[in-house]
Amino acid sequence: GGPRRRCCRCTKCRCGGPRRRCCRCTKCRCGTFFLVLSALLSLVLVFWPKDATWQLQELTIDPSALNGLIQAFTSPTFNDTLNFQVHTVVEVFNPNYIAAQAGVGKFRATSGPFVLATVETEPMQVHPHSSSVVRAVSNSTVDRQVSKYLLGVLPPAAFSLTPRVVGEVPAKVLGFLTVIVKMDCEIDINVLSIVSDPSKLITGQRCSQRVHF
């Protein structure tokens, strides 16, 4: 009605006197505002991007390439160029409560001044707050210079290496919003595991992730 509409439009409110209803109207507006604010804060806490975690499940390399790789890691007289592929299966846990359709991811693994591998991940569906399987293929080239570098940095007893892996994955969330997930990781590798148990090649990881809209 007329009096209620005029009351809700008023800007100054004093309790008591002829404008008492306006004070109740202001309280109603304040209550609605705080309710909406609480709902928005809850949504932010639930849907704020959290870093995914991952674990190597499988690693496959051609046996002939494996023999050449062992020579490159151990022989001071290595004087060849070795090109090989590594196929991996990784389990990724998405802690966020929204799903995503990930595209082709592109990464580079480096140590010192050398690129040890370029990696591509296959497109995949990332399920909300659950684990998904990611398949990746890496391509590497080891020549005399890389072999010489690795012999100089690999500890004789431990044979461990910590390359840096940097890259990005495009993803679509909520069906229409495209984001870019950038990753920067340091990965601890036990080189000898590639012969005995490739699934235990990675012994540790420290990753940071950023989401760009």
Side-chain angles (χ1 to χ4, degrees):
R4 184 180 297 274
R5 181 175 298 175
R6 286 194 299 271
C7 175
C8 290
R9 287 181 178 176
C10 68
T11 56
K12 296 182 179 179
C13 180
R14 296 176 181 176
C15 292
R19 292 190 177 183
R20 190 170 184 179
R21 288 185 180 180
C22 180
C23 192
R24 288 199 297 268
C25 179
T26 304
K27 289 180 180 179
C28 180
R29 283 184 175 181
C30 291
T32 303
F33 170 76
F34 285 115
L35 183 63
V36 172
L37 180 61
S38 298
L40 288 175
L41 288 174
S42 299
L43 287 174
V44 168
L45 289 174
V46 172
F47 293 107
W48 187 265
K50 303 176 182 67
D51 288 355
T53 57
W54 57 273
Q55 184 175 3
L56 178 66
Q57 297 293 316
E58 298 178 20
L59 185 147
T60 306
I61 184 173
D62 185 83
S64 60
L66 181 59
N67 293 333
L69 190 59
I70 294 173
Q71 291 182 8
F73 284 156
T74 59
S75 175
T77 61
F78 180 84
N79 192 22
D80 200 355
T81 299
L82 177 65
N83 298 296
F84 62 95
Q85 281 189 340
V86 175
H87 296 260
T88 57
V89 177
V90 177
E91 183 181 59
V92 176
F93 177 73
N94 172 26
N96 301 289
Y97 288 88
I98 55 176
Q101 179 62 48
V104 176
K106 296 183 181 294
F107 299 86
R108 291 202 322 166
T110 60
S111 181
F114 297 99
V115 177
L116 301 182
T118 57
V119 184
E120 280 196 3
T121 59
E122 297 180 357
M124 57 168 294
Q125 179 69 35
V126 181
H127 302 290
H129 202 65
S130 61
S131 297
S132 304
V133 173
V134 180
R135 300 183 184 276
V137 178
S138 68
N139 291 275
S140 298
T141 298
V142 178
D143 56 17
R144 184 173 180 272
Q145 293 300 319
V146 175
S147 174
K148 183 178 179 181
Y149 168 77
L150 292 174
L151 285 172
V153 297
L154 288 173
F159 250 70
S160 60
L161 186 67
T162 305
R164 183 183 181 190
V165 178
V166 178
E168 61 184 40
V169 181
K172 183 172 289 187
V173 296
L174 304 177
F176 66 94
L177 180 63
T178 299
V179 299
I180 303 294
V181 181
K182 293 183 178 289
M183 298 182 63
D184 190 339
C185 298
E186 286 187 344
I187 300 177
D188 300 324
I189 293 178
N190 180 2
V191 178
L192 294 179
S193 292
I194 201 170
V195 179
S196 58
D197 189 353
S199 65
K200 296 181 179 179
L201 181 73
I202 296 176
T203 59
Q205 53 175 285
R206 294 161 299 280
C207 294
S208 62
Q209 302 171 25
R210 300 189 308 277
V211 178
H212 294 255
F213 294 90

